[in-house]
Amino acid sequence: MESPTGLSTALRRGTLEFCVLALLENGELYSLELVQRLGSEQTLTTSEGTLYPLLSRLRRAGWVTTTWQEAPNGPPRRYYTLAASGKAALGHFRAEWVAFRDTVDRLVGTDPK
Amino acid sequence: MESPTGLSTALRRGTLEFCVLALLENGELYSLELVQRLGSEQTLTTSEGTLYPLLSRLRRAGWVTTTWQEAPNGPPRRYYTLAASGKAALGHFRAEWVAFRDTVDRLVGTDPK
DNA sequence: TCGACGTCCCTTGTGAGGCAAGGTACTGTG
DNA sequence: CACAGTACCTTGCCTCACAAGGGACGTCGA
């Protein structure tokens, strides 16, 4: 809890999966590509051990669909595509996130306005 | 995951304790008072079962100190006061939160700008 | 007097989910 | 053939939100 890295770890909870959905809105991606994209965001850096179970959940929920595609070199990749229900879930999250964000901003005094 | 309430539950993780610290910045409060304050925020509603372990953690971390005070009617109350280290932790959280919030806003497209 | 109720305190058990570490399989390249 | 690179995924641990349960002490009406 007291480590600086542990702080952002706790923050990621509940938002990471929707950040993944948001990334998939711009087109299909495969797992390690997602790790890279998230890793380039300082506060969202994550690992395979986090992402694979997360992607399995998204698939089980029907929010994403997957297709296997040959890679130019190396093993085949499982590409993830945003499904209609995933797009809807992302919409719900956006509303919830804005309300939550504003509440926290007001309470802790980080309101940008 | 798919329930609407479960969504905000996951969001609370990692922020709730700092919302508590922020509330204590304005003066000491006791447990059930904190439950009420948080309950009046739509996205932060929580229960005693959540708050008591959380407050124990804050106390163990030295971020808050407590004093027992007689109540006009009913059993004595344990009042929580923000300690210096808690104020520092809250400062760290503010920086981390702003960075995290902006990243999520940009990724999922809820940027208010 | 005595139980019902209100107001506090706190604990236990469950489940979700992030993460480090480990494991498998295929494809080059030297 | 050995070894590195790339991709997939699982196992076990730990933290934490929450529902449910429980105990102590006071007031008040029957």
Side-chain angles (χ1 to χ4, degrees):
Chain A
M1 182 204 274
E2 47 264 14
S3 73
T5 55
L7 210 165
S8 51
T9 289
L11 283 177
R12 271 192 281 279
R13 287 197 168 243
T15 56
L16 195 55
E17 54 191 292
F18 294 100
C19 290
V20 167
L21 291 181
L23 283 173
L24 292 179
E25 254 190 335
N26 304 323
E28 60 182 11
L29 295 169
Y30 69 100
S31 314
L32 296 188
E33 217 167 1
L34 279 164
V35 172
Q36 272 188 330
R37 294 286 189 95
L38 293 169
S40 68
E41 310 291 342
Q42 206 171 4
T43 59
L44 288 179
T45 306
T46 191
S47 68
E48 301 178 40
T50 300
L51 207 56
Y52 278 106
L54 188 154
L55 289 169
S56 295
R57 267 177 275 139
L58 296 183
R59 198 160 21 120
R60 231 177 301 130
W63 290 354
V64 298
T65 56
T66 65
T67 58
W68 286 96
Q69 294 180 28
E70 293 291 327
N73 49 355
R77 300 163 175 171
R78 193 205 280 272
Y79 277 85
Y80 293 82
T81 310
L82 188 60
S85 61
K87 214 173 166 67
L90 185 52
H92 289 139
F93 171 77
R94 286 199 173 99
E96 192 99 27
W97 163 255
V98 167
F100 173 75
R101 179 199 66 189
D102 289 348
T103 300
V104 173
D105 274 336
R106 184 165 36 77
L107 271 189
V108 309
T110 45
D111 208 311
K113 291 151 213 159
Chain B
M1 179 202 277
E2 46 264 16
S3 74
T5 54
L7 209 166
S8 51
T9 289
L11 282 178
R12 270 192 282 278
R13 287 197 166 245
T15 56
L16 194 55
E17 53 189 295
F18 294 100
C19 291
V20 167
L21 292 183
L23 283 173
L24 292 179
E25 254 190 336
N26 305 323
E28 60 182 11
L29 296 169
Y30 69 100
S31 316
L32 295 187
E33 218 167 0
L34 278 165
V35 171
Q36 273 188 329
R37 294 288 187 92
L38 293 170
S40 67
E41 309 290 342
Q42 205 170 6
T43 59
L44 289 179
T45 305
T46 191
S47 68
E48 301 178 40
T50 299
L51 208 56
Y52 277 108
L54 188 154
L55 289 170
S56 295
R57 267 177 275 138
L58 296 183
R59 198 160 19 119
R60 230 177 304 131
W63 291 354
V64 298
T65 57
T66 67
T67 58
W68 286 95
Q69 295 180 28
E70 292 294 326
N73 49 354
R77 300 164 176 169
R78 194 207 277 273
Y79 276 86
Y80 293 82
T81 311
L82 187 61
S85 61
K87 212 173 169 69
L90 185 52
H92 290 138
F93 172 77
R94 285 198 173 101
E96 192 100 24
W97 163 256
V98 167
F100 172 76
R101 178 199 67 190
D102 289 349
T103 300
V104 173
D105 275 336
R106 184 164 35 80
L107 270 189
V108 310
T110 45
D111 208 310
K113 292 147 212 165

